[in-house]
Amino acid sequence: MSRGLARQEGQILVMSALVMAFLFVPLSVFVIDTALVESGYAQLGETLQASAEDGASTIDEAAYRSSNGRVVVLDPVQARIVADVSMRAAAVRGLSSWSVEIQGQRVTITGHLAVQLLVLGPATLTESRSASLVYGQ
């Protein structure tokens, strides 16, 4: 009887190795890839928001001075330049491209970030953020 039990002693070790290989390793890779994507989105979003706010802070100085401070409007040319300089200064690793769009008092920036995942390879994250020039409110 003890001879039959002696042959079965290592079976749980084999099952444990299989569970670790086919369940926990893929689960760990999934968790790591998800964290990479989430941190990429967070970094991209914060960078885009800061750059949009920088661009939206530029006023048309000529209109402001000629109206004795009564007219405060966004300078679209300067807003585009300031937002672009802000994006370049951020130097986010993997940021492949971005575009700046000006509509009235609103500056919108859309960016594309390349993230290298462990198993699936590269993924491109795309996000947009906006900011508006608001005066006296």
Side-chain angles (χ1 to χ4, degrees), residues 24-37:
F24 291 128
V25 171
L27 183 62
S28 299
V29 169
F30 174 73
V31 168
I32 291 169
D33 281 351
T34 302
L36 288 172
V37 169

Side-chain angles (χ1 to χ4, degrees), residues 55-133:
S57 68
T58 58
I59 64 170
D60 186 344
E61 292 180 25
Y64 183 76
R65 289 185 177 145
S66 67
S67 69
N68 290 324
R70 284 177 269 148
V71 175
V72 179
V73 294
L74 184 69
D75 183 349
V77 174
Q78 276 302 109
R80 187 177 306 279
I81 291 170
V82 168
D84 189 55
V85 167
S86 179
M87 288 296 290
R88 288 185 198 283
V92 175
R93 190 171 148 246
L95 186 62
S96 57
S97 65
W98 65 86
S99 63
V100 180
E101 186 178 325
I102 313 292
Q103 294 177 343
Q105 302 288 79
R106 179 177 296 272
V107 177
T108 302
I109 304 178
T110 302
H112 306 281
L113 180 72
V115 176
Q116 183 66 36
L117 303 177
L118 288 178
V119 175
L120 299 176
T124 302
L125 309 178
T126 302
E127 191 169 356
S128 294
R129 292 291 176 99
S130 298
S132 297
L133 174 66

